[in-house]
Amino acid sequence: MPHFPKSTGFQSRRDSSGEAKDASVQVKNRRKRYLDMHPEYFSADLELADPLLYDRLIRRFQTPQEREAQGRAKGFSGVLEADLMRSEAKMDALAHPDPNAMLSYARGPDGEILAEDRDDIPASKEEGEKAWRWEMGLRFMRGDDPDFDYKSVDENDEYDDWTEQQEKYFEDEDPEWVVGEARGDEAKAQLQGETGIQDF
C-alpha cells in the first residue's frame, strides 16, 4: 500500500497565502478605522498629494474668502509651493496622459492648458468633497502616502474593531445553562437548574 505524506507543499502554500490574506485584511481594516477616527487627515495639507484633483474637486468650489483664509494659513511659501506643484502636474498630465484619470488636459488655441471635464466631475461642493475624501481614502488604504508612518497604524491593535471580535466570541460561546449538545431530533440539550414547572 502506498504511503502518502499528511501535509503537502500545496497545503502549506495555501495556509500561508490564507494567513497573508488575513493579515492584509487586518491592515486595511486598521487603516480604515484610523481614517474614521482621524478626519483631520483630509485637511488642506493633503492638496499636494494630488494638486490637480484637489483643484477640480475642492478648490473650484471655494469662495474667495475661503481661498484667502487658506492662503493665510499656508503662508506665502505654502501658496507658492501649491501653485508650482499644480503647474508641474498639468505639464506632466499633458506630456503623459493617463486614460484612467478623472481629468484630461489639452493645449488651447493660445497655448494655455485646458482641463477637459469628464462626466464624473461633481456638480456641487458637497459632491466634490465626498469624491476627494473617497480618492484620498483609497490612496491611504493602498499605502500610497509617502509622508505617513503606516507602521504606527498597521502594527497597532488599538485600531482593531473589537465589536466584531466580541460578536464572534459570543456567537461561539454556549450559554451557561446548557450542559449537553443536541444530537439529532431525539436528543435534547440538558438544562441545568430547569424544573419544567412554571413559577409565577
Side-chain angles (χ1 to χ4, degrees):
M1 177 174 272
H3 181 310
F4 295 103
K6 290 184 180 179
S7 66
T8 64
F10 173 75
Q11 182 68 28
S12 63
R13 279 197 304 269
R14 197 179 82 192
D15 290 346
S16 65
S17 69
E19 289 173 13
K21 186 176 180 181
D22 289 345
S24 171
V25 169
Q26 182 183 45
V27 162
K28 287 182 181 175
N29 286 340
R30 287 178 178 176
R31 290 177 183 177
K32 173 68 171 93
R33 185 132 169 96
Y34 175 85
L35 289 178
D36 292 344
M37 294 172 68
H38 298 279
E40 69 274 5
Y41 177 78
F42 299 102
S43 69
D45 295 337
L46 203 54
E47 174 183 2
L48 299 179
D50 192 336
L52 297 181
L53 195 62
Y54 185 86
D55 187 48
R56 302 305 287 171
L57 297 179
I58 301 293
R59 199 166 174 268
R60 73 187 288 177
F61 295 110
Q62 289 178 333
T63 64
Q65 294 82 10
E66 289 173 326
R67 284 189 187 185
E68 185 179 332
Q70 191 177 27
R72 276 197 216 112
K74 287 181 183 178
F76 178 75
S77 62
V79 171
L80 183 61
E81 180 183 19
D83 288 344
L84 287 173
M85 293 279 291
R86 196 169 25 260
S87 296
E88 288 177 7
K90 284 181 184 178
M91 295 298 289
D92 189 51
L94 274 174
H96 310 288
D98 180 4
N100 300 321
M102 185 181 283
L103 302 169
S104 63
Y105 291 87
R107 287 273 181 202
D110 297 326
E112 71 275 16
I113 298 174
L114 302 173
E116 299 172 348
D117 290 341
R118 300 257 176 105
D119 293 338
D120 51 356
I121 298 300
S124 69
K125 183 175 186 173
E126 293 76 24
E127 286 181 28
E129 187 170 332
K130 186 177 178 183
W132 171 254
R133 286 178 168 264
W134 174 260
E135 290 296 325
M136 291 298 102
L138 288 178
R139 172 184 172 266
F140 181 84
M141 298 286 285
R142 287 191 306 264
D144 292 343
D145 185 348
D147 299 325
F148 188 81
D149 177 20
Y150 282 99
K151 274 189 166 186
S152 65
V153 173
D154 296 352
E155 298 175 3
N156 189 345
D157 63 358
E158 290 179 19
Y159 293 112
D160 287 338
D161 187 3
W162 294 108
T163 56
E164 185 180 303
Q165 293 179 9
Q166 285 176 344
E167 286 174 12
K168 186 174 188 267
Y169 172 79
F170 287 121
E171 284 175 6
D172 294 342
E173 185 178 332
D174 290 330
E176 292 178 7
W177 44 268
V178 174
V179 176
E181 293 268 335
R183 292 185 186 134
D185 293 335
E186 301 163 10
K188 293 183 179 178
Q190 299 173 353
L191 305 178
Q192 185 174 8
E194 294 289 324
T195 63
I197 301 172
Q198 294 181 350
D199 282 339
F200 293 103

